């Protein structure tokens, strides 16, 4: 089901923003305020993953009052983050798409600067910026390495923390390392915000819908690079991502899909590894999941038995 609002097209606007919602309408409405201020936004597509009728009504009202055309795609079932983003990409009629999580805030317009970089670097297919926690600290994953068997083992077994990875990248994340002085090539950026080139998406394809949530952004970054497209991290720009609130409702569900995504990524890109290595990675992922499950299960049961008065659980698209 779709609600479409069409207005005059402004040729100076070359970006379609795609936002996936799952019961996070309050956050989406705040994000719309930020997107409205960016002069490069031509259109906004909201893909609602079977939230509530109240969510759909709010988005329809927002579409009727905004200066930027908004299309609302209402799914009858929760299709997951990757498939929902692909629904928006199919509708893409601009040169660029901005993939942005609903619980992000963009204090200042960032697209003019990002588009300048895209204009100067025709083989850059994807850009990201600093992603900050609400307290101003850099969020893990906004600039990172792609997983490989060695890094995966360091990550899931904690070898880097034990000092056994001396002299090599410890896990995946570069957050906290000294910031570069300008746009810098990286292997992967955060799926919380990605500016992608339409011609690159046409060549590479959309997100792999086999991931329900988590790791689909890493998969996309890998495929962009395998196709010869570059990825850049832009340190002079930043957004705020309220990561954490959205997984409060179903942490075990999120935990399962996160580790399922890890294993899918590994099988897809490293399925030809020797059997002993595959066994080691599979064991590490399983042990990590089991340990975190044992830690999180009592917390989940306690929260369900002792709800906080006046609390409301919001879950964004990546944690749906």
């Amino acid at each position: 089901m779709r609600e479409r609002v069409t207005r005059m097209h402004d040729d100076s606007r070359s970006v379609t923003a795609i936002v996936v919602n799952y019961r996070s309408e309050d956050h989406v409405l705040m994000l719309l305020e930020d997107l409205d201020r960016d002069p490069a936004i031509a259109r906004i597509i909201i893909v609602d993953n079977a939230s509530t009728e109240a969510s759909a009504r709010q988005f329809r009202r927002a579409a009727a009052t905004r200066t930027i055309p908004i299309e609302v795609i209402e799914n009858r079932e929760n299709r997951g983050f990757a498939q929902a983003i692909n629904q928006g990409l199919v509708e893409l009629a601009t040169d660029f798409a901005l993939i942005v999580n609903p619980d992000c805030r963009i204090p200042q317009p960032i697209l003019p600067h990002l588009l300048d970089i895209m204009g100067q670097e025709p083989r850059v297919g994807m850009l990201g910026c600093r992603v900050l926690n609400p307290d101003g600290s850099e969020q893990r994953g906004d600039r990172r390495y792609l997983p490989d068997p060695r890094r995966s083992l360091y990550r899931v077994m904690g070898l880097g923390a034990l000092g056994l990875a001396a002299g090599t990248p410890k896990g995946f994340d570069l957050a906290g390392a000294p910031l570069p002085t300008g746009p810098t090539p990286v292997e992967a950026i955060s799926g919380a915000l990605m500016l992608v080139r339409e011609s690159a998406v046409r060549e590479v394809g959309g997100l792999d819908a086999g991931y329900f949530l988590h790791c689909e952004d890493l998969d996309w970054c890998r495929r962009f690079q395998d196709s010869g497209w570059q990825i850049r991290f832009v340190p002079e720009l930043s957004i705020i991502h309220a990561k954490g609130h959205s997984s409060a409702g179903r942490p075990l569900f999120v935990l399962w899909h996160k580790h399922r995504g890890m294993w899918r990524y590994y099988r897809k890109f490293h399925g030809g590894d020797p059997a002993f290595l595959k066994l080691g990675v599979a064991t590490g992922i399983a042990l990590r999941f089991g340990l975190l499950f044992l830690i999180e299960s009592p917390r989940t049961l306690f929260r369900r038995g002792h709800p906080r008065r006046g609390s409301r659980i919001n879950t964004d698209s990546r944690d749906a």
Side-chain angles (χ1 to χ4, degrees):
M1 177 178 177
R2 298 185 181 187
E3 277 294 318
R4 188 189 299 268
V5 176
T6 304
R7 295 187 177 87
M8 296 282 292
H9 177 67
D10 180 352
D11 289 337
S12 67
R13 296 174 177 265
S14 58
V15 179
T16 297
I18 303 174
V19 184
V20 180
N21 174 67
Y22 181 77
R23 299 181 181 178
S24 289
E25 58 272 14
D26 293 344
H27 289 274
V28 174
L29 293 173
M30 289 189 291
L31 176 61
L32 291 180
E33 297 283 348
D34 297 340
L35 295 175
D36 240 355
R37 293 194 295 267
D38 201 301
I41 296 287
R43 182 183 180 205
I44 299 171
I45 298 175
I46 301 172
V47 185
D48 185 74
N49 258 338
S51 296
T52 65
E53 180 55 31
S55 299
R57 284 197 302 270
Q58 289 194 62
F59 297 147
R60 288 195 289 267
R61 285 198 297 268
T65 59
R66 296 287 166 179
T67 58
I68 297 174
I70 297 176
E71 179 177 351
V72 182
I73 300 174
E74 298 175 38
N75 289 334
R76 296 182 181 275
E77 60 183 5
N78 187 345
R79 298 184 176 183
F81 181 77
Q83 190 169 344
I85 288 294
N86 289 344
Q87 288 178 263
L89 290 173
V90 167
E91 301 290 324
L92 193 60
T94 53
D95 293 333
F96 301 93
L98 180 72
I99 314 299
V100 57
N101 276 13
D103 52 356
C104 287
R105 298 304 308 272
I106 308 174
Q108 301 292 331
I110 62 173
L111 289 176
H113 186 57
L114 293 179
L115 291 174
D116 283 345
I117 297 171
M118 286 289 200
Q120 297 167 21
E121 302 284 351
R123 289 307 297 173
V124 171
M126 182 185 297
L127 289 175
C129 65
R130 276 194 302 154
V131 179
L132 304 179
N133 295 305
D135 65 3
S137 60
E138 186 178 6
Q139 198 164 98
R140 288 179 57 186
D142 67 345
R143 45 182 172 137
R144 47 187 165 167
Y145 297 105
L146 286 169
D148 62 19
R150 173 176 52 80
R151 293 168 183 161
S152 297
L153 286 173
Y154 288 160
R155 172 74 174 267
V156 301
M157 301 301 289
L159 299 181
L162 293 174
L164 301 181
T168 61
K170 300 175 176 60
F172 314 139
D173 297 315
L174 290 167
L179 284 171
T181 57
T184 302
V186 292
E187 294 184 7
I189 57 174
S190 171
L193 184 140
M194 294 173 155
L195 179 68
V196 294
R197 194 184 296 269
E198 185 272 341
S199 56
V201 175
R202 191 168 60 246
E203 179 182 337
V204 175
L207 291 162
D208 181 348
Y211 300 91
F212 192 80
L213 62 112
H214 288 293
C215 297
E216 69 287 312
D217 50 354
L218 290 169
D219 179 294
W220 216 22
C221 289
R222 169 67 184 259
R223 287 161 49 215
F224 264 64
Q225 293 186 82
D226 286 350
S227 298
W229 290 97
Q230 300 170 21
I231 300 171
R232 298 282 169 84
F233 170 75
V234 184
E236 58 267 33
L237 300 176
S238 63
I239 64 166
I240 300 168
H241 182 211
K243 184 178 180 180
H245 84 90
S246 55
S247 61
R250 293 185 289 174
L252 299 181
F253 180 85
V254 173
L255 192 67
W256 163 251
H257 279 288
K258 182 179 292 187
H259 288 79
R260 179 177 176 270
M262 290 179 187
W263 180 236
R264 178 178 180 81
Y265 180 96
Y266 177 77
R267 285 189 298 111
K268 183 173 179 178
F269 296 109
H270 299 280
D273 286 348
F276 77 90
L277 193 54
K278 287 191 284 190
L279 178 62
V281 172
T283 301
I285 291 173
L287 288 175
R288 186 176 189 272
F289 171 76
L291 177 61
L292 294 177
F293 183 89
L294 290 174
I295 293 172
E296 189 59 48
S297 293
R299 296 176 181 173
T300 301
L301 293 173
F302 179 81
R303 282 194 293 265
R304 288 178 178 174
H306 299 80
R308 289 178 293 177
R309 184 174 300 173
S311 65
R312 179 183 177 186
I313 295 172
N314 286 315
T315 306
D316 74 19
S317 56
R318 294 173 62 78
D319 297 328

